[in-house]
Amino acid sequence: MPTTVELIVSAYVRLKNRQALENMRELCGQLLGTLQSTSGTNPAQSRSSLLEDLRVIEDGLEQLRPPRYG
């Protein structure tokens, strides 16, 4: 069963909405930065989840890249 992020990324890919995916990637990066600067908690599970979300977003962006000829 696909995750929520996978469903969202899939929809943006179908719509060819690169900007929305780039915005998602930027937000995930910001959340990771905030999480890593937070003390007093164990962010391992949240960090792992955000890294997986980033992987899914990057895969979606890769699908929208124009084919390379040559």
Side-chain angles (χ1 to χ4, degrees):
M1 182 172 208
T3 66
T4 303
V5 170
E6 289 170 331
L7 292 171
I8 293 167
V9 168
S10 176
Y12 285 147
V13 168
R14 280 193 313 275
L15 294 170
K16 297 181 177 26
N17 193 339
R18 173 179 290 283
Q19 187 61 53
L21 289 173
E22 289 175 356
N23 291 345
M24 285 180 68
R25 179 177 57 187
E26 183 179 337
L27 179 59
C28 275
Q30 290 172 359
L31 290 171
L32 269 172
T34 300
L35 184 64
Q36 290 171 345
S37 67
T38 302
S39 62
T41 62
N42 183 354
Q45 186 174 357
S46 296
R47 183 178 186 280
S48 175
S49 180
L50 283 169
L51 289 172
E52 176 60 19
D53 290 351
L54 276 171
R55 185 197 62 76
V56 171
I57 293 165
E58 289 293 340
D59 288 347
L61 284 166
E62 184 64 33
Q63 292 177 48
L64 292 178
R65 284 194 176 87
R68 296 179 185 167
Y69 299 102

